[in-house]
Every structure is written in C-alpha cells, then in structure tokens.
Amino acid sequence: MEKIKKIPKEDGLDHSLSMLREGYMFIPNRCQSFQSNIFETRLLGKKAICMTGNEAAEVFYDTDKFARKDAAPNRLIQTLFGKNGVQGLDGEKHKHRKEMFMSQMSPYDLNKLKVIAEKQWQNALDEWGNMKKVILFDEVKEILCKSACQWVGISVQDEEMTNLTKDLAAMFESPAKIGPTHWRGRKARNQVETNMSELISNIRDGKLKISENTLLHQFTWHKDLNGELLNTETVAVEVINILRPIVAISIYINFLAVALHHYPHERDKLVKNDEDYYWMFVQEVRRFYPFFPMVAALVKKDFIWNGYLFKKGTLTLLDLYGTNHDPKIWDQPDEFNPNRFAQWEENRFNFIPQGGGDYLLGHRCAGEWVTIEIMKISLNFLVNHMEYDIQDQDLSYSMVNIPSIPHSKIILSNVQSK
C-alpha cells in the first residue's frame, strides 16, 4: 500500500482575505514558501487544497477524480458564470452541453468571426483619427461586443451597445471585488440575463424571426439529453457565456499593446506579417501576463496522487498563472520571449491560460481558439494598420487586482491609419 504523505498546511483559521490581498500570487507565494507544488489552506471557512504545475493540471482535469458541480463560489456564479451554465456541469451532461459550444468553433465559423472583427476594428480606427485620445481598453471592449453580437446573431441598437458592453465587462471585472463594484457585476448579469431570456422567449413564440444559420438560433433550440429544450434562463446564461468571454479578450489586447511598447524590437519582426511569429507572440502574451488566476473543482472520490490523499468533497484549486510561470516547464519564465514557442512541446497541461485538458470532454475553455484569432487580428491592426503615440502614463499592472489591466488602460494619442 502506498504510503500517505502529509500535505503542507498553512496555519490559521481562514485565508480568504489573504487571497484577496495577494491575487495572482496567492498560490505561487505559498508554493515557494513550502517548496512544494501542493499545500492545504482554508478558504471561505472550508478546507482547500491548492496545486500548481503540469502534473497537477493533469490530475486536476481527470474527470474521474474531480467534479465542477458546486465548486465555484456563489460570487462567481452571480457575476461571472451564471446559474446552470456549462462550467458547473459534469459527465454526459457537460459533454452534451459542451458540444453545443464546440459546434461553433469550426474553421468556417471562426473565419466568419474574423471577418466581422476586422471590419469592426477598421470602423473604430476610422473614428479614432478624430479623437484627441483613445482609451484602448474601453474602445476595444466595444469593438469586441459589437463583433460578438453580430457573430452570435443578436441585433443591438447603437444607443444600447455601450450599456451592453459595460454590463458584459462588469461580469468579469467584479467577481474578485468587494462592495459596489461587485454588486454592479451582479446587477449587470441580472439585467442582461433578463433581456436575453425575453429575446429567446420571443424567438420561441414566433414573435421574432432570426436566421437558422446563427449561433443564437442553435442555442435557442438546443435540447438536453432527454430531448427537452433548455429553459430560457439557461439558454440566456449560455449565450452570455459566448458574449462575455469575447469581450474579456480586451484584457489580452491591452497587454498586446503593453508588450509592443515595452519590447519595441518585437514590432520589427511582426511587421513582416509572419503568421508563425504572430502566433508565437500571441501565445507569449497569454503566458506572460496575468489573466485568470486559478480554477476550482471538488474531489469526486477519495484517491491518492503522488502520495497525497484527496478526500471526497474537498475544494481544490489549480494555479493557472503559476503554472504558466513554472521554471520546471519554462526556461526563464519571467522573461518575455515569443521564440520559446518555436520549440514548444505542446500538451494539454503545461500551458493553461484558459484552462487545460480536453476541449470536449474536459473543462478547457471552448473559446480559446476565438481568443487566439481575435488577438492575432488585433495585433495586426496595432502593428500594420495604425500609427499612434503612447505618451507618459502608468502602464504598470497589479498582481493583486483580478482581472489585472494596465492602470492607464492604455491611452493612445495621434492615432492615424497607415
């Protein structure tokens, strides 16, 4: 019988406030202190196991050992995920629902989104030339919201687009906040879910006709494993689970601009429009800069991993940011170096900015391909289609605030088309 090792344990009654204070570094700090890729702590009054690294990711995404149902804290459900969304499903229910998402990730559908996004970028660039300053983060959120709505098949009036953009952004900007910012995220989700449920009801009742070739149509008429239509509230949640993550790519796009500014030698390589180097640059931005810090699951049944006992029902957190900066995986991980991806031995667990494992059977983000393509389009515009100045401003970003964005939100001036 395998000898059970004791998991390093953090002293204290609860460390939820420490997690809020330390943000992305909560797990890396303790792994460094314990000199271990696993430790035990207490969060929200419950025992929690925290892990980092590719071996940890591989066991974490083993669906025989971990479940997602009831793993996410309520504050995430009320802001980021919504109730009864795909993130909280397991087994055949999850696979069936995930197929609904993955069916929209075909080369045809991705190319359709690319064409839409390029057009929205060009429209925005035409407007920016008349603006004294452009706050990139805010402007890009609206570019992506317009692109997402058009791709999904949702018609939104111009005067409503700004509010929808703000509401979708509030959902991913508020989960780790406390006070008014967090409550703004809850209110935003409730408002958008209500509006989306009404839209879906109108489609089902025949009051609104939409094209059958839209994602909105596919989601509206999707049936569960029992052959029953999903209730309108669940469909609304899942439609938002397409819109919200696309708008959230604005975080990465801001970091594209930061990287171009801080590493100007990279721009010369990108001007050549080398498809491979674009991909490497985008991947390095996703690896290097903070996005989502960690993901949660519950132990499905007792098991032993690397000599450590995991008890059924134990909350377990996988460190995304720390894994992407693990020196056991990445040479000089705190250096920005796109060329590292030229020799990257890809697997499903050593690079996990949007989760790991299998797209269909596991809980890896269905929209990861969307993220990469949108980032490549945005990078091309920033490098080859526009000129701009970045004057003195605070381009630093916090490792505590989640999500982290440059403090100035990237202020561009003297924007012109090339």
Side-chain angles (χ1 to χ4, degrees), residues 121 128 134-140 253-254 257 409-410 412:
W121 259 102
W128 293 353
V134 172
I135 301 176
L136 187 64
F137 185 53
D138 294 340
E139 294 292 330
V140 167
I253 293 172
N254 253 40
K409 299 183 179 180
I410 313 295
L412 309 182

Side-chain angles (χ1 to χ4, degrees), residues 72-112:
N74 189 56
R75 60 173 27 245
L76 262 69
I77 294 172
Q78 295 292 339
T79 52
L80 191 66
F81 295 142
K83 295 179 180 179
N84 302 318
V86 66
Q87 298 92 343
L89 300 179
D90 295 297
E92 286 301 313
K93 287 184 178 180
H94 173 263
K95 180 177 180 293
H96 184 72
R97 187 80 61 82
K98 193 71 172 289
E99 287 174 346
M100 180 178 72
F101 284 86
M102 296 306 298
S103 68
Q104 310 302 318
M105 302 301 157
S106 68
Y108 172 83
D109 289 302
L110 289 175
N111 187 66
K112 182 179 177 182

Side-chain angles (χ1 to χ4, degrees), residues 5-6 39 57 63 74 159 163 175 248 304 361 400:
K5 297 188 295 187
K6 187 176 181 180
F39 66 90
T63 55
N74 189 56
E159 60 271 17
N163 287 334
I304 298 172
L361 299 178
V400 173

Side-chain angles (χ1 to χ4, degrees), residues 93 96-97 221-231:
K93 287 184 178 180
H96 184 72
R97 187 80 61 82
W221 298 105
H222 178 80
K223 295 182 179 179
D224 63 21
L225 287 170
N226 297 319
E228 301 291 334
L229 288 174
L230 301 178
N231 62 55

